[in-house]
């Protein structure tokens, strides 16, 4: 029997979506084919500590780290692998714990999905699932992402971007500027979060003030957008590196006024948001969203996977690209996996496909000349 691929599954993290990551990671670890993969679960605490142990997922859930041990990955590619940090004679020493063939970051939001971790993995020279540094960072930043997509001619909502500092220093001027450019209702968002954290819908100036204060708690930069009237939430899964494929679109019927944190994760049973697979759209619209999803994916140099989200106005019929998630919610019943399931790609097949893509991308990058020795 050939040796199994050793997959480090990373979860938790210093992010508002820590708990969401734990749900996704549990699904991933349960479904990775044990005949092909040897899973090494590595948790990241809310403080950013990397831990291994019997069950780091349970430790993170309990927030009790007895029985776990600290590990680290070095930025130095000549010292590959996962290293244990051992206290020895009053000092911390490093001891090699395990080889790492591929890293599967099942982390959402800051430090996991935004290119920061991907930068470490590039330095360490280990293959990893999903998008690289650039695409991760661009997709995470709602302001820059829209600028890149706008340059491609992809339809987007009108918006105003500003810094927290500007809001704090000249609030009246900011309100006048926004109201001069965009009609109510508005959506206010921190530039770099996910799971609807810090997002508000604002119907008047007072709500706009509150929305800006709220968003400013979570980011240095803020995005204000026109609201899409009677927005339908259409999502497409994309998979691939050089020749990405787009799934049929799905639709979310949120359980609340908009698809906020509670509608995404808290409402259960009868109250839960509904997922329609495929979305009830005509053939032309179906093709259009799939093409736009691929266009956005290519525009940011996507790799591995992404879920591309649209808002379709139930009032005007206008379609807008909303955002692209490079590490979308990843349980087996999440939209990303459901859309592939409907296309005949089961969840375990999806996971092994993503690992193959990670290895392929790493090999492709290895072909690139990095150093020039002239003497
Ligand atoms: N411009 C908009 N018009 C209407 N609804 C919006 C708009 N922007 C966001 N929303 C609603 O808010 C939700 C969260 O916004 P989104 O930009 O997707 O942030 P997140 O990255 O947190 O998912 C969307 O799924 C949608 O329900
Ligand atoms: Mg969203």
């Amino acid at each position: 029997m050939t040796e199994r691929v050793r997959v480090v599954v990373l979860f938790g993290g210093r992010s508002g979506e820590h708990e969401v990551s734990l749900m996704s990671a549990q699904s991933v670890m349960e479904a990775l084919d044990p005949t092909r993969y040897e899973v090494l679960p590595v948790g990241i605490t809310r403080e950013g500590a990397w831990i291994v142990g019997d069950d780091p997922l349970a430790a993170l859930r309990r927030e009790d780290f007895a029985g776990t041990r600290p590990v680290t990955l070095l930025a130095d590619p000549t010292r590959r692998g996962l290293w244990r940090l051992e206290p020895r004679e009053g000092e911390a020493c490093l001891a090699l714990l395990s080889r790492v063939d591929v890293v599967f970051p099942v982390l959402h939001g800051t430090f996991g999905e935004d290119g920061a971790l991907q930068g470490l993995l590039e330095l360490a020279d280990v293959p990893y699932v999903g998008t690289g540094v650039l695409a991760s960072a661009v997709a995470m930043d709602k302001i820059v992402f829209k600028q890149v997509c706008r340059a491609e001619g992809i339809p987007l909502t009108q918006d105003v971007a500003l810094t927290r500092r500007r809001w704090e220093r000249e609030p009246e001027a900011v309100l006048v500027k926004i109201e001069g450019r965009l009609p109510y209702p508005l959506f206010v968002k921190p530039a770099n979060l996910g799971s609807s954290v810090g997002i508000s819908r604002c119907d008047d100036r007072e709500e706009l003030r509150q929305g800006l204060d709220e968003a400013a708690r979570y980011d240095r930069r803020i995005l204000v957008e026109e609201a899409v009237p009677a927005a339908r939430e259409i999502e497409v899964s994309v998979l691939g590196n050089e020749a990405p494929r787009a799934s049929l679109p799905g639709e979310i019927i949120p359980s609340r006024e908009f698809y906020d944190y509670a509608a995404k994760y808290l409402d259960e049973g009868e109250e839960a948001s509904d997922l329609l697979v495929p979305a009830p759209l005509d053939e032309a619209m179906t093709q259009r969203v799939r093409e736009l999803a691929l266009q956005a994916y290519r525009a940011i140099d996507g790799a591995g996977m992404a879920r591309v989200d649209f808002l379709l106005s139930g009032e005007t019929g206008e379609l807008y690209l909303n955002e692209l998630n490079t590490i979308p919610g990843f349980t087996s019943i999440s939209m990303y996996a459901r859309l592939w399931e409907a296309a005949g790609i089961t969840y375990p097949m999806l996971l092994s496909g993503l690992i193959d893509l990670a290895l392929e991308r790493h090999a492709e990058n290895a072909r690139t000349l990095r150093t020039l020795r002239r003497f």
Side-chain angles (χ1 to χ4, degrees):
M1 193 178 122
T2 53
E3 212 172 348
R4 294 184 297 167
V5 177
R6 201 164 296 176
V7 185
V8 165
V9 177
L10 275 177
F11 48 83
R14 250 193 308 157
S15 149
E17 293 167 281
H18 183 95
E19 288 90 355
V20 184
S21 159
L22 303 185
M23 293 188 247
S24 295
Q26 178 165 8
S27 266
V28 167
M29 292 193 289
E30 282 170 4
L32 276 167
D33 177 358
T35 65
R36 293 180 63 188
Y37 304 109
E38 191 181 336
V39 175
L40 186 61
V42 176
I44 303 180
T45 67
R46 289 173 199 275
E47 289 71 41
W50 290 37
I51 54 165
V52 292
D54 288 345
D55 191 348
L57 190 67
L60 287 178
R61 286 217 172 101
R62 290 193 310 264
E63 298 201 59
D64 171 2
F65 304 109
T68 66
R69 290 193 297 175
V71 287
T72 192
L73 189 79
L74 300 175
D76 177 347
T78 69
R79 292 178 174 79
R80 285 167 193 276
L82 201 61
W83 296 77
R84 208 161 56 209
L85 275 153
E86 292 193 330
R88 201 178 289 162
E89 290 159 20
E91 286 183 40
C93 294
L94 290 176
L96 188 63
L97 175 74
S98 170
R99 172 185 106 230
V100 177
D101 295 328
V102 61
V103 171
F104 199 140
V106 190
L107 294 161
H108 307 299
T110 41
F111 302 116
E113 192 177 349
D114 62 4
L117 173 77
Q118 289 73 14
L120 170 65
L121 298 171
E122 288 290 338
L123 289 171
D125 196 23
V126 269
Y128 57 92
V129 168
T131 42
V133 175
L134 177 73
S136 303
V138 171
M140 189 70 198
D141 189 291
K142 295 187 196 304
I143 297 171
V144 174
F145 176 70
K146 287 182 80 176
Q147 285 166 350
V148 171
C149 290
R150 198 165 277 134
E152 287 280 313
I154 296 172
L156 300 150
T157 51
Q158 294 298 311
D159 59 46
V160 172
L162 65 142
T163 60
R164 165 162 72 197
R165 175 172 286 226
R166 176 111 203 275
W167 167 236
E168 287 165 355
R169 292 206 171 160
E170 1 172 2
E172 297 313 311
V174 165
L175 292 171
V176 168
K177 178 179 166 186
I178 293 170
E179 289 178 343
R181 294 216 196 153
L182 306 171
Y184 289 105
L186 298 169
F187 270 83
V188 183
K189 311 177 178 184
N192 281 283
L193 266 181
S195 289
S196 304
V197 176
I199 296 187
S200 329
R201 186 191 140 104
C202 312
D203 285 305
D204 56 36
R205 181 175 275 212
E206 195 37 47
E207 288 182 8
L208 178 57
R209 269 183 214 281
Q210 289 166 11
L212 287 164
D213 281 342
E214 174 71 1
R217 294 174 61 206
Y218 295 102
D219 207 331
R220 206 170 47 73
R221 288 155 64 251
I222 303 169
L223 179 67
V224 184
E225 283 179 356
E226 59 171 324
V228 173
R232 290 174 64 186
E233 319 245 354
I234 309 294
E235 305 189 341
V236 177
S237 295
V238 176
L239 179 66
N241 290 341
E242 311 293 330
R245 291 203 287 153
S247 71
L248 283 174
E251 177 164 1
I252 310 262
I253 312 289
S255 53
R256 311 246 168 171
E257 185 189 17
F258 72 95
Y259 200 32
D260 63 6
Y261 190 88
K264 283 177 181 172
Y265 308 114
L266 304 181
D267 295 344
E268 288 179 356
E270 290 283 292
E271 303 291 303
S273 298
D274 251 345
L275 272 58
L276 308 183
V277 177
L281 297 172
D282 66 32
E283 185 55 29
M285 185 58 82
T286 296
Q287 282 318 321
R288 178 130 189 272
V289 291
R290 295 177 82 183
E291 273 159 29
L292 286 172
L294 288 173
Q295 200 184 344
Y297 190 79
R298 289 202 181 93
I300 64 164
D301 191 29
M305 64 171 158
R307 197 193 69 223
V308 189
D309 298 351
F310 297 84
L311 296 170
L312 172 62
S313 173
E315 230 168 86
T316 65
E318 287 295 319
L319 178 73
Y320 305 88
L321 174 61
N322 181 37
E323 60 161 349
L324 184 153
N325 294 282
T326 55
I327 310 185
F330 215 90
T331 66
S332 55
I333 55 162
S334 297
M335 184 62 104
Y336 185 78
R338 290 267 307 268
L339 290 172
W340 288 124
E341 186 92 45
I345 302 176
T346 64
Y347 189 62
M349 280 161 69
L350 178 61
L351 297 176
S352 51
L354 284 166
I355 290 170
D356 290 345
L357 287 167
L359 298 171
E360 179 196 292
R361 175 46 58 97
H362 184 259
E364 178 64 28
N365 284 343
R367 290 176 51 209
T368 308
L369 198 56
R370 303 282 183 195
T371 53
L372 292 177
R373 264 190 227 278
R374 297 200 185 274
F375 304 104

